[in-house]
Every structure is written in structure tokens, then in C-alpha cells.
Amino acid sequence: VRPGSGIRNEISSMPGNFQLSVDRLIDEVGAAKDLGIRGFILFGIPTFKDATGSSALQDDGIVQQALRALKQTFKNEVVLLTDECFCEYTDHGHCGPLCEVQGRVDVDNDATLEILAKQCVSHAMAGADIVAPSGMMDGMVQAIRAGLDEAGFEEIPIMSYAAKYASGFYGPFREAAESPPQFGDRGSYQMDPANGDEAEREVELDLAEGADFIMVKPALSYLDIIRRVKQRFHVPVAAYNVSGEFAMVKAAGAKGWIDERRVTMEILTSIKRAGADLILTYHCRDAAKWLRQG
Ligand code: PBG
Ligand code: ZN
């Protein structure tokens, strides 16, 4: 969602997905709701970006505006999730403010925790039903839980992106959210794709800190991780079928190289079969239509 009105910009690498102004977002959510989709996660493109991502904390920030408008229109017929991170709001595109560690510029983990809790409270005040921290900062769940509880939001659950890999599959999203890192990469806070055990450690930590359910991301190249987490921890597991996974299917489908409907349903089935209780996917409207057709 972005500031303005009447905006519906298609994202070139994600056909059928749009940057929307709040008014058009209402139409889009209404149409999806009519297809039976109840859960929505919001990502914002703010009016300005700076070194600390301060536009994320404004009461009238773009996501806060969207939350208020959606809750006013749809009440409790929709479940609204918010992506809690700063990469869309910082001018350098990293997931929090920076500091220098041993001569190397890196995200300031502990400074990020403080503002993450504030971001979550601001979103909860505006109507978020579930907060979803996605930045992989150490201690983020504990900091957010404490911040929410202190502000009276004990009932707001945390869906932690506990196992998030440093992935090439996020490419199209960074175009959509206008948030590519301006230097370096996210390798210091996201996980190494070769490391499966670390996912279990990260999930264990986040649950100990108070996460209500957790996310594995991406989904398709990490079906083994979904299965491991589902088997070991008895909490709901969400899987994020990310932008690059979506774009590959769309591109090959458009060229007639694969049967898009068949492949999409096969992929979503595999994510479910691996153990996902929830799937976050850009295919959702297509899938909902196809499921209705039987
Ligand atoms: C922000 C965030 C990202 C995605 C979701 N939240 C980008 C990133 O980590 O670079 C990617 C989602 C997708 O590719 O669909 N931390
Ligand atoms: Zn981020």
C-alpha cells in the first residue's frame, strides 16, 4: 500500500499484484474477501525514507492508515497481519538502523528491537490483529511481546518469521516494496540456505521468547524445513510462498511452458503436505477461484 488515491500499479515481475493506494486497497480486499480469502498481510511504501526508518512509527503512517480504513470497512470479517520490519522505511534498505561493528557496517540489532516494539504497538493501535516481525533480529519476539503487553495488547499474537533464509527468491518483492538493500546483502541477519539445523534453533528461541506461531520462508526450496519444524514443535507453522517462487510460475505459464493452474495447485499442495498450517501466497486469488471451480 502506498500514499495517494486511485493508484493501482501492477508490479511487472509479479503479474496480478499491485501497489495500491488505500482507496483501491479497500476494493481489492473486498474482492478477495468475496472469493473466501480472510487473511491479509500489509506492506507499506512510505512518503519518505531515512536512516532509521522513522516513517514506520508514525500514527498516520501508510500501513496505519490502511489498517484503520480496512477495519472500518470490514470490521472483524478480515484478519489483518502486519509485516514488522524497517527495510521499506530506511533509505539504505536494510531491516533496521545501522552501526559499525569491528569496522564493518551492519544492522544495529538492539537499536532495532526498541523501534520494532514501537512499530508493533502503533500497528496494534491502528487495528492489526496479528503482528509478523520479519527482520530476523535476535531477541525480537521478546522485545515485541514486552512492548505489546505494556501497551495493553496482551491478546495480539505474534507470528514470527523465525526461519527466514537469505534467498534469491525475494527479488520481485524488493521491486514491489521498493526496498532493495542499497549496499551489501541481508546475510548477517537472514539464514544460510545450506543450514537446516539453524532453522530449528531459531524456531526454538522464538517460541521461548513468546511467539504464538512461526513462519518458514521461502516455502518451496525449504519444504524439508517446514516438515522438520512441524514435527518437532507443536505450534501452527506458516509458510511463505515468496515472490520469486510466484514469478517463476507466472513467467513459465505465460510462455505456455507449463500448465499454470496445475503447477500452482501442485506447489500449494506440496507446501501443505510438508506440514504448513497456513500458506502466505500471491497465488491466493487464483487458487481460491480454482478451488471453487473444483
Ligand atoms: C522484509 C520482507 C521481505 C519479504 C517479506 N518481508 C524482503 C526481504 O527480506 O528482502 C519478501 C517476500 C517475498 O519475496 O515475497 N524483511
Ligand atoms: Zn526487512
Side-chain angles (χ1 to χ4, degrees):
V1 60
R2 66 179 309 148
S5 62
I7 297 171
R8 191 168 188 266
N9 296 339
E10 187 160 28
I11 297 145
S12 62
S13 54
M14 298 173 68
N17 285 268
F18 302 84
Q19 294 180 342
L20 301 158
S21 50
V22 172
D23 55 331
R24 304 302 292 271
L25 173 70
I26 301 283
D27 302 340
E28 203 78 16
V29 167
K33 200 170 77 53
D34 292 342
L35 288 170
I37 296 159
R38 301 287 303 278
F40 301 87
I41 187 160
L42 295 169
F43 295 91
I45 300 173
T47 44
F48 70 91
K49 304 191 185 210
D50 61 18
T52 61
S54 63
S55 55
L57 304 180
Q58 297 179 303
D59 278 344
D60 61 346
I62 184 63
V63 167
Q64 288 86 343
Q65 284 180 38
L67 287 164
R68 287 197 184 90
L70 289 168
K71 273 292 156 185
Q72 201 174 5
T73 310
F74 300 111
K75 313 281 186 290
N76 288 332
E77 290 167 47
V78 295
V79 177
L80 302 179
L81 294 88
T82 43
D83 186 79
E84 306 292 350
C85 201
F86 289 91
C87 48
E88 285 137 52
Y89 306 91
T90 53
D91 49 16
H92 44 72
H94 281 282
C95 297
L98 303 174
C99 64
E100 217 179 278
V101 187
Q102 288 157 354
R104 201 168 50 91
V105 175
D106 204 346
V107 170
D108 188 335
N109 189 95
D110 293 2
T112 306
L113 297 184
E114 247 171 76
I115 55 176
L116 255 179
K118 288 187 182 146
Q119 183 183 34
C120 292
V121 169
S122 175
H123 288 160
M125 275 166 49
D129 297 299
I130 299 172
V131 296
S134 71
M136 288 287 287
M137 296 301 135
D138 293 336
M140 67 181 183
V141 174
Q142 186 171 41
I144 289 168
R145 187 71 272 158
L148 286 173
D149 289 357
E150 199 178 312
F153 294 110
E154 289 97 343
E155 305 294 326
I156 299 284
I158 300 173
M159 176 178 81
S160 178
Y161 288 64
K164 180 176 182 181
Y165 283 90
S167 171
F169 287 104
Y170 306 148
F173 175 89
R174 291 176 187 177
E175 180 207 329
E178 299 178 4
S179 63
Q182 296 302 307
F183 65 90
D185 58 31
R186 304 205 205 288
S188 70
Y189 39 105
Q190 298 180 355
M191 290 191 306
D192 174 2
N195 197 336
D197 294 341
E198 191 180 16
E200 291 194 32
R201 287 200 295 277
E202 290 283 354
V203 170
E204 193 173 14
L205 283 168
D206 281 10
L207 292 176
E209 289 179 27
D212 295 278
F213 55 120
I214 59 94
M215 174 102 99
V216 174
K217 174 184 177 183
L220 199 46
S221 286
Y222 300 87
L223 293 176
D224 58 322
I225 305 296
I226 295 172
R227 167 53 57 99
R228 282 170 71 161
V229 166
K230 181 65 191 169
Q231 275 185 335
R232 173 153 167 212
F233 304 98
H234 303 281
V235 294
V237 175
Y240 197 151
N241 178 212
V242 301
S243 58
E245 300 176 311
F246 170 81
M248 291 193 303
V249 173
K250 280 288 179 187
K255 282 190 174 284
W257 291 347
I258 58 169
D259 176 339
E260 183 187 328
R261 173 175 174 164
R262 193 170 162 191
V263 166
T264 299
M265 296 314 288
E266 194 170 331
I267 288 172
L268 295 176
T269 300
S270 74
I271 297 171
K272 188 80 191 158
R273 194 187 61 233
D277 298 288
L278 293 88
I279 303 175
L280 206 169
T281 178
Y282 305 98
H283 293 292
C284 67
R285 279 161 304 172
D286 288 337
K289 271 181 221 156
W290 293 330
L291 285 169
R292 287 196 160 195
Q293 287 165 12

